[in-house]
Structure formats: structure tokens, C-alpha cells
């Protein structure tokens, strides 16, 4: 049984303008910087670019530009569909991060720092339009968010690359007494 109060379906990016753009908002500057660094890190991992700029257009739309390694901005709309989908996924995941980075010792405080309703996330076919190598990296992203923040994911996928990478993560991280196999966060149904 799935309790709907504890699940977030990543389909609304309206919070983007409040949590990721460089203007005053209800979120702290520290939270914005932390979220921005999360996005930049994964942009590099997925070979999208090294930074991004979001510009509001009339308060109703947004232009996202990707800063490439040569410091030239490129409209996200001009990148491939895989890059666009990954950036939307990264934005949506970033707005769900806690307002400050959790330390390794904050695991017990996680319940107080993160609302329970944002702990389970459903994602449909995140591998669409991605190269097989990048499909595999999605498993790293989901594992990192599970390990560091306790997020749980329900992912609908047809990607054998994503599934195989989860098997590698389990083999490398859950094969001893310290992290027994039963703590493995991946299940295939």
C-alpha cells in the first residue's frame, strides 16, 4: 500500500523560480547555493555543461541557458532532448533537497530536517533520449540521493543499463557485515 501523503510525483516545476533563481525568495541564500551546487555537480557528471542561468521572461516563463566548458551560454532548448530532460529532472530533484546540506552526522535529524511527504519520489522513464552510459549514471544519482537524504524512488524504466548499474552498486556497497544485502535500496518488480 502506498500512502499518497508520503509521495511526490515530479510534475510541477513552479517552485523552480523560488528555489533556484537568483532573486529574493522565502528560501535562504545558503539553500539556493547548496541546490545550485547539486545541479552543477550532476550537470558535469552527465556532461551537460558546467553551470546554468535562469532568466525570467515577463514573470510567466523562464529561459534556461547552459554554460559550456568554453564559458559560452547555450539555450537549453538548443541542446538535445536528453540534456533537456536531465536538466528538468535535476531541477525537480533540487527543489526537493533540504534547505541545507546534511552532514554525515545528521542522519538521525533527517526526520526533522525533511518533511516526510517529500521522501518518496515517482519518476517515469528517466532514461528516455539518453545514451546508455548516461542511463547508467541515473542509478548513481538515485543511489546518492537515497544514501545522503533517505529519498526513496519508484522508477518505471525500460532501461537494462539503469537496472544493471543498480546491480553493480549493490555488489560494490552491500556485500559485507557493515552494509548487509538486506539494506539494499534497489528492488525490481
Amino acid at each position: 500500500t502506498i500512502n499518497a501523503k508520503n509521495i511526490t510525483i515530479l510534475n510541477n516545476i513552479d517552485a523552480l523560480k523560488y528555489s533556484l533563481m537568483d532573486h529574493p525568495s522565502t528560501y535562504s541564500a545558503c539553500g539556493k547555493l547548496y541546490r545550485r551546487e547539486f545541479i552543477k555537480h550532476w550537470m558535469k557528471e552527465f556532461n551537460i555543461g558546467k553551470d546554468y542561468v535562469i532568466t525570467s521572461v515577463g514573470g510567466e516563463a523562464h529561459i534556461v541557458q547552459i554554460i559550456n566548458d568554453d564559458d559560452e551560454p547555450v539555450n537549453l532548448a538548443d541542446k538535445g532532448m536528453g540534456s533537456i530532460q536531465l536538466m528538468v529532472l535535476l531541477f525537480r530533484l533540487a527543489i526537493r533537497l533540504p534547505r541545507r546540506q546534511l552532514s554525515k552526522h545528521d542522519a538521525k535529524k533527517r526526520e526533522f530536517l525533511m518533511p516526510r511527504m517529500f521522501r518518496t519520489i515517482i519518476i517515469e522513464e528517466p532514461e528516455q533520449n539518453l545514451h546508455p552510459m548516461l542511463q547508467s549514471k541515473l542509478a548513481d544519482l538515485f543511489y546518492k540521493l537515497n544514501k545522503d537524504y533517505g529519498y526513496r524512488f519508484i522508477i518505471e524504466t525500460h532501461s537494462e543499463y539503469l537496472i544493471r548499474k543498480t546491480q553493480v552498486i549493490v555488489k560494490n556497497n552491500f556485500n559485507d557485515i557493515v552494509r548487509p544485502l538486506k539494506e539494499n535500496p534497489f528492488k525490481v518488480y
Side-chain angles (χ1 to χ4, degrees):
T1 303
I2 297 175
N3 182 346
K5 289 191 276 185
N6 293 335
I7 295 178
T8 299
I9 299 176
L10 295 178
N11 63 1
N12 185 346
I13 202 158
D14 290 337
L16 171 71
K17 61 186 173 186
Y18 297 111
S19 63
L20 301 175
M21 288 181 60
D22 296 324
H23 66 73
S25 72
T26 57
Y27 291 95
S28 70
C30 179
K32 281 186 193 177
L33 180 61
Y34 168 60
R35 290 177 175 129
R36 180 175 200 87
E37 292 304 315
F38 166 83
I39 293 169
K40 286 170 55 175
H41 169 78
W42 287 101
M43 284 176 68
K44 291 174 189 168
E45 287 290 317
F46 286 108
N47 298 314
I48 298 171
K50 67 178 186 178
D51 203 354
Y52 66 95
V53 176
I54 301 173
T55 307
S56 181
V57 178
E60 295 297 321
H62 300 90
I63 295 174
V64 179
Q65 292 184 309
I66 303 301
I67 309 301
N68 287 330
D69 290 333
D70 59 1
D71 292 324
E72 291 295 320
V74 175
N75 286 337
L76 180 58
D78 295 334
K79 302 280 275 184
M81 281 303 296
S83 294
I84 293 169
Q85 288 179 212
L86 279 171
M87 285 302 295
V88 170
L89 177 64
L90 292 175
F91 287 147
R92 289 176 175 172
L93 290 171
I95 62 176
R96 300 294 179 217
L97 291 177
R99 293 186 181 172
R100 69 177 181 84
Q101 187 169 9
L102 302 177
S103 72
K104 292 179 182 176
H105 305 292
D106 282 338
K108 291 183 181 180
K109 298 179 190 175
R110 186 179 292 141
E111 292 294 322
F112 300 105
L113 295 171
M114 294 179 58
R116 289 181 75 62
M117 67 180 147
F118 296 134
R119 301 286 294 287
T120 301
I121 300 169
I122 298 173
I123 303 175
E124 294 178 280
E125 299 183 11
E127 75 278 1
Q128 285 186 344
N129 301 307
L130 293 181
H131 186 278
M133 181 183 72
L134 298 180
Q135 292 178 26
S136 295
K137 281 193 181 285
L138 285 169
D140 294 324
L141 171 65
F142 301 139
Y143 176 63
K144 178 87 168 139
L145 287 167
N146 173 269
K147 182 178 153 192
D148 291 354
Y149 304 103
Y151 283 113
R152 294 177 299 179
F153 292 92
I154 299 173
I155 299 170
E156 180 214 346
T157 184
H158 298 276
S159 171
E160 70 179 83
Y161 302 101
L162 176 56
I163 301 294
R164 294 279 184 210
K165 183 61 182 256
T166 64
Q167 293 171 332
V168 170
I169 290 170
V170 169
K171 180 186 178 295
N172 292 337
N173 294 285
F174 297 94
N175 58 359
D176 59 20
I177 295 173
V178 176
R179 304 248 357 236
L181 189 59
K182 68 181 180 178
E183 291 180 13
N184 160 26
F186 299 106
K187 309 285 187 277
V188 177
Y189 299 102

